[in-house]
Amino acid sequence: MGNRDTVHFSTAGLADIEAIRADFPILRREVYGKPLVYFDNAATTQKPQVVIDALTGYYQTMNANVHRGVHLLSQEATSAFEKAREKLALFVNARSVREMVFTRGCTESINLVAATWGQQNLRPGDEILISALEHHSNIVPWQMLCEHSGARLIVCPLHADGSLNMEEFARLLNTHTRLVAISHISNSLGTINPVKEITRMAHKTGAKVLIDGAQALAHLVVDVQDMDCDFYTFSAHKIYGPMGIGGLYGKEELLLEMPPYQGGGEMIANVTFEHTSYNEPPFKFEAGTPNVAGALAFGVAIDYIQKLGIQNIAKRENQLLDYATQVLKSIPGVVIIGNAEHKASVISFLIDETHPYDAGTIIDHFGIAVRTGTHCTQPLMDSLGITGTIRASFAFYNTFAEIDLLAKAINKAKEMFL
Amino acid sequence: MKIEEKTQAIVNEFANFDDWMDKYNYLIELGKSLPLIEERHKTENNLIPGCQSRVWLHADFDGEIVHFTADSDAVITKGIANLLIRTFSDQRPQEILDSSANFLSEIGLTEHLSPTRSNGMLSMLKQIKMYALAFKAKQQMGQS
């Protein structure tokens, strides 16, 4: 297992934040001669050394193709790859590893469901219900599916505070609704959606439910059985793992009936020029050589955050969010966009009439990485009547002092654009 | 004034700034003082693709020289638009086509601006050149 079994964590829990920060080598670098303050965790999280080591360790000690060779390296790689799948399945509480498909990431997971389950099940007149706060990757695949199938895309509006309008949701759900596709946490506003309630309501009318968990997996306990959703999608890189790997949870009975996604090696049972029979899930959906190193490192990332404790992480991130909310609210002219009661550690805001890009440019020069723009949620920004926001998104390794620095940068920007 | 003389003047102006904040304060000033574009020219057609803030560029041609006006909803972008317009406006199409805008990296703007914004800047430059090319063709057709 190379480095994976020899990892040791600098600390258990989150009491010693300096020791935790030391696990993340990038946090030691400087930008513009200042210490990096990384507040773009909703875009991608930084990687602890153990994850980086798992990636290189795989190539140094174990690299072989999986599910193929009888040779020892291939057996080791296969067993490590499948072990990573087990960890993921356990982490989201899937019933079995057969419900856990490796993909390139959340976007591919959603596209997979659209291209397989969607193509198989949607007919003209059917409806797909999404919400106004979806990321483009939970909008465009469904639009494409609608174009192919003749189904209609229906959008549930939000309340002014950025929470989902559940009365409207109930009204829009009907017997034509075949699928509800909604994010667990909004990447732009931080809103945590009531996914369990959404699933219960959707199932009552016979619709299937896909939850886009890209933002959620790193911030709260995900239990797909308790939620009872049919599909749950996520990316490793938003939970301290590497880029280019992610997952799709799907209920086994659905995965069994779905046609394959891509054709190639691994997804087949038997191939002749006349006919090909397909492998069982999850392999049916994993054509070609997978990102084995990525999967292993994803498993190590899961180990890492479980060691810290997802509840501890949620607690610390809530403290950071509360503090940032209080600090930003105290700056005259700063308006927080998205004030839902249940929020994850994402804070979108505007400074007076200043364009987010102008403000972002100045904040960047303080060494603070924030995101500016529409955050891939252009329809949401349109519906709020704004061109974009400045977004700070926190991870457990962020500090209160860093939030104070953000306040200083905001005040400087205010002064410069006055 | 020739394009090279104008760009040299800009490089000299920026050489005075020791730190980024002074440079940006100046860019903001330039942004605020950019001559206004006529409202009727702020059309979808005149929007520059590739900018995360909205940038409009309009060109007029009197048969000899090209006159540019621009606007943006972000002040820093407007400041950069000001520099580009100062450089390329009121020049002949051929002179615009022959020149480069290397001064932007010389004054540390490509280095300091986010990639998306500098892409926007490059899109704006490309658009300026496209106008010059179109006007040059128009000019040649008029002569033949």
Side-chain angles (χ1 to χ4, degrees):
Chain A
M1 281 307 306
N3 290 303
R4 207 177 58 153
D5 284 345
T6 57
V7 299
H8 88 276
F9 299 96
S10 354
T11 182
L14 280 155
D16 186 353
I17 200 65
E18 280 315 311
I20 298 248
R21 288 178 64 84
D23 290 339
F24 294 80
I26 207 168
L27 298 180
R28 293 196 283 274
R29 75 159 280 184
E30 295 192 333
V31 289
Y32 305 119
K34 302 177 182 82
L36 167 69
V37 173
Y38 188 75
F39 281 168
D40 198 15
N41 294 286
T44 194
T45 52
Q46 298 303 346
K47 320 305 172 199
Q49 187 65 49
V50 284
V51 167
I52 300 166
D53 288 347
L55 282 172
T56 51
Y58 168 76
Y59 287 113
Q60 282 165 347
T61 64
M62 206 195 288
N63 179 48
N65 214 329
V66 290
H67 304 132
R68 307 270 201 291
V70 291
H71 60 82
L72 185 69
L73 277 192
S74 174
Q75 286 173 35
E76 279 182 11
T78 303
S79 115
F81 182 65
E82 290 307 320
K83 183 89 188 147
R85 192 193 306 274
E86 257 170 58
K87 277 185 197 172
L88 269 184
L90 271 174
F91 188 61
V92 299
N93 196 27
R95 285 161 209 83
S96 90
V97 287
R98 293 187 298 278
E99 297 186 318
M100 188 53 62
V101 181
F102 278 121
T103 63
R104 282 190 295 132
C106 196
T107 297
E108 189 179 47
S109 301
I110 295 171
N111 276 280
L112 189 159
V113 175
T116 57
W117 181 88
Q119 292 286 4
Q120 190 178 43
N121 289 285
L122 289 195
R123 301 283 171 269
D126 288 345
E127 293 176 2
I128 300 171
L129 180 55
I130 63 169
S131 87
L133 51 64
E134 298 311 314
H135 188 280
H136 294 164
S137 48
N138 199 26
I139 301 173
V140 183
W142 308 122
Q143 277 175 334
M144 290 162 69
L145 175 61
C146 286
E147 270 174 40
H148 285 293
S149 64
R152 290 200 310 148
L153 192 65
I154 310 292
V155 183
C156 177
L158 306 180
H159 288 299
D161 68 357
S163 63
L164 208 57
N165 185 331
M166 290 303 287
E167 294 76 43
E168 273 299 296
F169 180 78
R171 198 183 63 78
L172 291 168
L173 258 183
N174 66 71
T175 51
H176 298 290
T177 314
R178 299 301 307 276
L179 178 74
V180 171
I182 285 191
S183 53
H184 197 160
I185 295 179
S186 154
N187 71 309
S188 290
L189 306 180
T191 310
I192 301 176
N193 286 320
V195 285
K196 192 172 171 181
E197 173 72 358
I198 285 170
T199 306
R200 193 186 58 79
M201 289 165 74
H203 281 169
K204 262 191 180 171
T205 62
K208 299 292 182 221
V209 177
L210 178 143
I211 303 296
D212 169 355
Q215 294 296 331
L217 210 57
H219 301 288
L220 40 80
V221 176
V222 172
D223 181 336
V224 289
Q225 289 191 60
D226 179 57
M227 204 186 297
D228 198 30
C229 60
D230 300 285
F231 301 105
Y232 196 90
T233 62
F234 49 88
S235 295
H237 76 94
K238 291 196 199 286
I239 176 168
Y240 313 99
M243 290 183 172
I245 182 90
L248 164 69
Y249 156 81
K251 281 184 180 163
E252 192 176 2
E253 62 264 32
L254 291 171
L255 295 182
L256 277 167
E257 280 173 23
M258 279 153 57
Y261 177 43
Q262 293 176 327
E266 188 58 45
M267 52 77 71
I268 41 86
N270 191 38
V271 179
T272 67
F273 283 117
E274 290 71 39
H275 180 73
T276 293
S277 56
Y278 305 122
N279 205 335
E280 296 294 305
F283 309 113
K284 181 165 78 172
F285 303 102
E286 294 179 358
T289 296
N291 181 357
V292 182
L296 264 62
F298 191 0
V300 172
I302 301 277
D303 291 342
Y304 182 83
I305 67 161
Q306 283 190 311
K307 190 98 176 178
L308 297 179
I310 192 90
Q311 306 275 21
N312 295 333
I313 289 173
K315 196 173 153 202
R316 174 160 179 94
E317 289 174 351
N318 286 338
Q319 286 169 347
L320 290 166
L321 176 71
D322 288 347
Y323 183 65
T325 305
Q326 182 197 324
V327 165
L328 293 196
K329 273 187 174 162
S330 74
I331 304 174
V334 171
V335 179
I336 294 173
I337 310 292
N339 293 287
E341 196 190 339
H342 302 288
K343 269 181 75 171
S345 53
V346 171
I347 190 161
S348 253
F349 60 97
L350 290 169
I351 307 171
D352 302 308
E353 301 292 304
T354 305
H355 195 286
Y357 289 104
D358 285 331
T361 303
I362 302 308
I363 294 170
D364 173 48
H365 276 80
F366 277 78
I368 305 172
V370 290
R371 175 89 174 255
T372 58
T374 63
H375 320 299
C376 296
T377 54
Q378 213 179 312
L380 170 61
M381 296 298 145
D382 290 344
S383 74
L384 294 169
I386 53 181
T387 57
T389 70
I390 306 152
R391 181 189 73 186
S393 48
F394 312 115
F396 55 80
Y397 45 61
N398 289 127
T399 67
F400 297 94
E402 288 178 324
I403 293 170
D404 290 336
L405 187 71
L406 174 65
K408 196 176 154 196
I410 292 170
N411 279 314
K412 186 71 208 177
K414 272 173 65 83
E415 196 185 304
M416 287 175 81
F417 291 105
L418 204 66
Chain B
M1 207 193 279
K2 284 197 168 142
I3 289 182
E4 297 86 77
E5 291 165 357
K6 290 190 195 175
T7 56
Q8 193 50 53
I10 293 171
V11 171
N12 293 344
E13 278 167 32
F14 276 82
N16 296 326
F17 303 124
D18 297 331
D19 82 350
W20 68 270
M21 224 180 266
D22 293 339
K23 186 154 54 179
Y24 277 97
N25 274 325
Y26 184 55
L27 266 182
I28 291 165
E29 212 178 287
L30 288 175
K32 287 179 178 164
S33 63
L34 179 70
L36 292 178
I37 190 172
E38 283 182 53
E39 257 332 289
R40 66 190 171 97
H41 293 322
K42 284 168 82 168
T43 59
E44 282 291 316
N45 259 345
N46 280 340
L47 263 180
I48 304 281
C51 300
Q52 287 203 32
S53 51
R54 292 193 297 171
V55 183
W56 295 266
L57 177 71
H58 175 73
D60 279 314
F61 184 51
D62 67 2
E64 260 194 65
I65 61 160
V66 191
H67 184 72
F68 290 107
T69 49
D71 198 3
S72 171
D73 50 5
V75 182
I76 292 173
T77 315
K78 228 168 138 171
I80 295 161
N82 191 339
L83 291 176
L84 289 175
I85 282 181
R86 216 170 109 188
T87 307
F88 294 106
S89 197
D90 303 322
Q91 300 289 338
R92 292 173 204 285
Q94 190 60 52
E95 288 163 347
I96 297 171
L97 288 170
D98 289 344
S99 63
S100 75
N102 287 341
F103 72 92
L104 287 172
S105 52
E106 238 178 282
I107 61 180
L109 281 184
T110 42
E111 172 199 329
H112 282 287
L113 296 169
S114 65
T116 41
R117 192 182 260 134
S118 67
N119 286 341
M121 216 155 62
L122 293 175
S123 306
M124 192 164 167
L125 253 179
K126 196 170 142 198
Q127 199 60 34
I128 285 173
K129 297 252 178 181
M130 295 275 277
Y131 272 123
L133 195 65
F135 291 140
K136 188 188 156 194
K138 202 171 163 187
Q139 216 171 17
Q140 283 168 340
M141 270 163 58
Q143 285 164 356
S144 62

